[in-house]
Amino acid sequence: MSHIGSESNPLRVAIVGAGPAGFYTAEHLFKNRDLVIEIDMYDRLPTPFGLVRAGVAPDHQKIKSVTRVFTKTAENPRFRFFGNVEFGKHLKLADMQAHYHAIVFTTGAQTDRRLNIPGIDLKNSHAATEFVAWYNGHPDYRHLEFDLTQERVAVIGVGNVAVDVARILCRTPEELAQTDIADYALEALRHSRVKEVYMLGRRGPAQAAFTPPEVKELGELADADVYVPPEEAKLDPLSEASLADSADRGTMRKVEIVQSFAGRQPTGKSRRLVLRFLVSPVALIGDENGRVRAMRLVKNELYATEAGTLRPRPTDQYETLDVGLVFRSIGYRGVPLPDVPFNDQWGVILNEKGRVLDPETQQPIPGLYTAGWIKRGPSGVIGTNKPDALETVECLLADVKNGRLLTPANPDAGAILQLVQTRQPYYCTFADWQRLDEMEIRRGQEIGRPRLKFTSVEEMLKALGKM
Amino acid sequence: MKVSSILATKGTDIISIRPEQQIREAIQLLTRHNIGALVVVDENGRLAGIISERDIIRKAAETEALFSLPISAVMTRHVITGMPQDDLMSVANTMTERRFRHLPITDGERLVGMISIGDVLKAQRDKFRGEIDTLETQLMADDE
Ligand SMILES: Cc1cc2nc3c(=O)[nH]c(=O)nc-3n(C[C@H](O)[C@H](O)[C@H](O)COP(=O)(O)OP(=O)(O)OC[C@H]3O[C@@H](n4cnc5c(N)ncnc54)[C@H](O)[C@@H]3O)c2cc1C
Ligand SMILES: NC(=O)c1ccc[n+]([C@@H]2O[C@H](COP(=O)([O-])OP(=O)(O)OC[C@H]3O[C@@H](n4cnc5c(N)ncnc54)[C@H](OP(=O)(O)O)[C@@H]3O)[C@@H](O)[C@H]2O)c1
């Protein structure tokens, strides 16, 4: 047979997960001019784009335009999308190994990091990941309920996700109605009685994980005043010295913004957003019905590690914060895929530069690769997945040259299509998605919103006439 | 971003050597794996020191008998270590300021990996690159 990557024997690649990492992987592969490459991309949802659809905040519509670039990749004639097909359920590793030369896992981080404190499993204590997926209309989370009758809410963590959650809680129904937030979430938030939202950082403003534009936006909300206790906005001597040392402009800007909030007087807006620093929750306290009623906080101080990082250390000062609803936003975490080696310590697929490793030998397993959050952990913006995917694609292409890929029994585009059809008759193509997309936008326009999302798989399949 | 995100794409194998092994073996390991330093661990798997190309070269300038010396005679014993939760930015500052190129990472007592200044700089570059790539993807989208 002719060599792999020729017209008669194209290099067949499966990409599992249609988020940014999956699309950047496809884009890099298609840029290769020496090989004929065919790509099948799978996602467990009928809709593509991963967290761009189900994570990025609905009031940040502009950034969602990146999907146009991903769509361009999807329109390549050698690209196929199989939505509503889950790896491990509809197709197993062995199925894919029989049909592809290479498989790239880009499944993202599907769950949240645990916070082990007493009371964390009380009613009204949730992972931010769930709230985010709920307001964005992710089909797996649409049935959740959040008790928005509570007036006081705490968000644990000061990363950009915590900022998103706090901001959505503080937006007015009018502001939210301009977005593509899920219709049930818009309705629930319309009746929200939330008055005070606390964001809790365990270190100081200089170490906060949020970025300057995101925190700045908190000062510009239509009907919420932002506030920081002045003593917590002030830098401690260690942070001050470290900032002077590094002269990092991003950090300086962040600190400046936080400090500008500290001086603010309330302007009579209906809601208040309070950023707290140097505090760690040590327990959630429940009422007689097992619902959160308060949170016990310890005041922290900072110390420098050997490598120079400023870390929090509890003091002997405690306080109690009355809150009836808690979101922990301390990071996402990857979940293992069936038959794919996992590195439990970091919550990623066991890999070196994107080549999946055999846990016994620590040698690459031929034909298996990974990119994105499931490769390097849950950090970075959309574009961070581009250099990350490039590293993986370079490994893959080097392996093509060295003949270190899989030798599938049946590398035929028709054969795998048949298998998908038998395993998941309700699979969705990219053309199906484009029809859904059009319908969502049209439904939105009718009520003056950018888009009205379908939020259940059944609803999507019905709209497509598949059910 | 934290040190753990560098370790996440490095497998779990830590290339190490024992204090009683010879320099010759260290050189073989360094070349085979194309790296600049090895962690030295005792029989209990605990960190005993670090040995770098530079340590070896420096010793080579002193003695002809280099190859058969035990690692323990050449290694640096006072090792600065990092933790998976260390912030990359502060690690980068500390490594450049104090001029060391390799940082063993421990989680409590357990050695969990080693990072080099090259890894740290690459991670920082990719972080900036990622921010630029986000903007670039948005710009390309506007052209569509
Ligand atoms: C709440 C939130 C808001 C964010 N906001 C921004 C922002 O405003 N700007 C920005 O630049 N970045 C933002 N980010 C970061 C950005 O979303 C991520 O960097 C990026 O989405 C990670 O890409 P990924 O492809 O690795 O994972 P994901 O985007 O999570 O994609 C993974 C895909 O894999 C699919 N999948 C999972 N398991 C399977 C399986 N077994 N079989 C088949 N498919 C599967 C999932 O359905 C999903 O579609 C945000 C992140 C979060 C969490
Ligand atoms: N608009 C945007 O561009 C946007 C929006 C959303 C998300 N994103 C990106 O998506 C990625 C993920 O965001 P993220 O917010 O989930 O993660 P993140 O940036 O890693 O932030 C996690 C936060 O949780 C804190 N934390 C961790 N463990 C804790 C504990 N035990 N107790 C108290 N606090 C704890 C961290 O504090 P320490 O630093 O002290 O550990 C940090 O403040 C980030 O790269 C982010 O920039 C971007």
Side-chain angles (χ1 to χ4, degrees):
Chain A
M1 207 195 293
S2 55
H3 72 94
I4 298 176
S6 60
E7 212 40 76
S8 60
N9 185 19
L11 174 68
R12 305 238 340 118
V13 181
I15 298 177
V16 182
F23 274 101
Y24 283 127
T25 300
E27 184 185 321
H28 288 308
L29 282 169
F30 281 142
K31 271 192 195 138
N32 181 288
R33 293 271 157 254
D34 304 333
L35 299 170
V36 178
I37 304 181
E38 291 180 355
I39 298 175
D40 289 344
M41 184 183 283
Y42 294 86
D43 204 284
R44 55 186 293 277
L45 294 179
T47 53
F49 308 138
L51 284 169
V52 180
R53 180 174 165 101
V56 172
D59 56 341
H60 283 176
Q61 285 298 309
K62 206 161 163 265
I63 180 79
K64 298 200 188 225
S65 66
V66 296
T67 58
R68 286 209 285 270
V69 174
F70 300 157
T71 299
K72 182 126 192 271
T73 301
E75 283 166 346
N76 186 309
R78 297 188 196 275
F79 178 100
R80 295 188 300 188
F81 175 65
F82 294 111
N84 207 18
V85 180
E86 181 170 336
F87 177 87
K89 184 174 158 192
H90 302 109
L91 289 182
K92 306 251 188 261
L93 181 62
D95 299 323
M96 290 207 166
Q97 285 170 320
H99 291 89
Y100 295 100
H101 298 104
I103 306 154
V104 189
F105 299 100
T106 52
T107 49
Q110 297 294 309
T111 188
D112 63 301
R113 266 188 63 213
R114 287 281 305 166
L115 177 64
N116 285 319
I117 57 171
I120 197 71
D121 292 321
L122 284 169
K123 278 182 227 151
N124 285 5
S125 160
H126 306 276
T129 54
E130 296 170 348
F131 185 60
V132 164
W134 172 78
Y135 66 59
N136 276 319
H138 190 298
D140 295 356
Y141 296 85
R142 66 191 301 262
H143 300 292
L144 297 183
E145 279 174 25
F146 299 93
D147 182 4
L148 298 168
T149 65
Q150 298 299 328
E151 293 193 350
R152 295 161 59 89
V153 186
V155 182
I156 304 170
V158 285
N160 280 336
V161 173
V163 171
D164 279 353
V165 167
R167 197 182 63 249
I168 292 296
L169 287 167
C170 288
R171 289 267 188 221
T172 63
E174 295 71 41
E175 286 177 301
L176 291 174
Q178 309 291 313
T179 76
D180 69 353
I181 191 168
D183 52 353
Y184 54 77
L186 178 60
E187 200 45 34
L189 286 161
R190 212 186 272 288
H191 299 106
S192 158
R193 291 201 216 130
V194 170
K195 285 219 154 50
E196 294 207 0
V197 178
Y198 292 86
M199 282 180 64
L200 307 173
R202 61 173 164 180
R203 299 189 283 167
Q207 294 83 32
F210 51 55
T211 40
E214 279 62 34
V215 66
K216 180 160 175 281
E217 197 183 358
L218 296 179
E220 299 158 357
L221 297 169
D223 198 24
D225 282 316
V226 69
Y227 178 71
V228 185
E231 66 281 11
E232 290 177 7
K234 195 168 171 288
L235 291 192
D236 63 296
L238 284 176
S239 300
E240 192 123 12
S242 141
L243 187 54
D245 239 22
S246 73
D248 182 66
R249 295 185 58 114
T251 310
M252 286 181 189
R253 182 77 193 112
K254 209 158 58 183
V255 171
E256 251 170 51
I257 296 166
V258 169
Q259 293 183 340
S260 77
F261 293 165
R264 290 208 187 179
Q265 298 298 324
T267 61
K269 295 184 176 175
S270 325
R271 293 193 171 119
R272 197 162 87 118
L273 172 57
V274 184
L275 274 65
R276 299 279 317 263
F277 295 98
L278 290 166
V279 287
S280 283
V282 289
L284 302 187
I285 304 161
D287 64 10
E288 60 286 0
N289 300 317
R291 268 198 308 251
V292 176
R293 122 183 119 66
M295 177 188 271
R296 192 94 175 117
L297 289 174
V298 67
K299 188 96 193 135
N300 293 327
E301 62 187 11
L302 297 179
Y303 71 96
T305 66
E306 260 193 323
T309 297
L310 300 184
R311 302 277 310 158
R313 177 161 66 195
T315 65
D316 57 5
Q317 289 173 50
Y318 291 84
E319 67 178 286
T320 303
L321 186 68
D322 290 331
V323 285
L325 182 61
V326 173
F327 295 104
R328 50 180 187 280
S329 180
I330 62 164
Y332 282 64
R333 192 178 156 84
V335 298
L337 293 169
D339 307 324
V340 181
F342 196 66
N343 183 341
D344 202 49
Q345 181 154 28
W346 317 125
V348 297
I349 290 175
L350 179 64
N351 79 91
E352 190 174 354
K353 297 189 167 132
R355 285 190 178 99
V356 179
L357 301 181
D358 179 334
E360 299 294 316
T361 62
Q362 293 282 324
Q363 293 303 308
I365 304 177
L368 303 197
Y369 303 86
T370 179
W373 278 18
I374 195 60
K375 167 189 174 186
R376 65 172 198 281
S379 78
V381 286
I382 292 167
T384 316
N385 301 295
K386 194 171 182 182
D388 180 277
L390 181 61
E391 180 183 64
T392 299
V393 167
E394 280 171 349
C395 290
L396 195 161
L397 293 174
D399 292 348
V400 178
K401 273 214 184 95
N402 302 324
R404 280 190 307 212
L405 291 187
L406 290 162
T407 37
N410 203 350
D412 175 60
I416 186 72
L417 176 62
Q418 262 182 9
L419 187 66
V420 170
Q421 280 165 337
T422 49
R423 298 282 179 79
Q424 172 53 305
Y426 296 116
Y427 76 93
C428 296
T429 63
F430 204 78
D432 288 334
W433 152 247
Q434 287 178 308
R435 282 173 56 209
L436 285 177
D437 186 36
E438 261 171 44
M439 286 188 258
E440 288 190 341
I441 293 172
R442 183 156 29 79
R443 295 182 340 155
Q445 273 167 352
E446 284 163 12
I447 53 171
R449 299 181 52 197
R451 160 190 307 273
L452 183 57
K453 283 182 178 177
F454 293 107
T455 60
S456 91
V457 173
E458 201 188 312
E459 212 185 359
M460 295 179 203
L461 295 177
K462 283 197 177 134
L464 290 170
K466 291 188 191 262
M467 256 179 118
Chain B
M1 227 194 332
K2 309 218 162 169
V3 163
S4 53
S5 64
I6 293 184
L7 295 179
T9 64
K10 277 178 161 287
T12 49
D13 221 10
I14 304 164
I15 301 149
S16 66
I17 197 161
R18 297 269 292 270
E20 62 277 10
Q21 284 180 273
Q22 293 183 349
I23 292 297
R24 147 178 9 264
E25 295 168 89
I27 295 174
Q28 280 161 1
L29 277 175
L30 290 170
T31 25
R32 184 170 339 129
H33 295 282
N34 192 25
I35 50 179
L38 298 167
V39 281
V40 187
V41 293
D42 66 15
E43 63 277 12
N44 303 316
R46 244 177 280 154
L47 184 66
I50 186 169
I51 182 157
S52 68
E53 292 165 332
R54 292 201 162 184
D55 295 330
I56 296 174
I57 302 266
R58 217 174 284 135
K59 201 66 176 183
E62 274 172 31
T63 167
E64 295 288 321
L66 176 79
F67 290 102
S68 54
L69 285 179
I71 300 293
S72 56
V74 184
M75 70 185 188
T76 305
R77 281 166 202 276
H78 283 286
V79 192
I80 295 181
T81 59
M83 323 194 282
Q85 309 90 314
D86 272 317
D87 297 320
L88 270 184
M89 193 155 55
S90 49
V91 168
N93 277 337
T94 307
M95 289 178 88
T96 16
E97 243 168 55
R98 299 175 62 179
R99 294 173 181 283
F100 55 91
R101 298 164 174 232
H102 296 91
L103 187 67
I105 308 297
T106 56
D107 190 5
E109 289 280 280
R110 206 161 58 93
L111 181 67
V112 293
M114 177 143 77
I115 62 172
S116 70
I117 186 74
D119 294 332
V120 175
L121 295 179
K122 174 179 177 296
Q124 284 198 313
R125 185 202 66 191
D126 285 353
K127 180 170 180 290
F128 292 126
R129 186 69 241 173
E131 280 156 24
I132 295 167
D133 280 330
T134 305
L135 292 174
E136 196 183 85
T137 307
Q138 264 188 292
L139 287 177
M140 281 160 62
D142 293 341
D143 285 349
E144 283 302 308

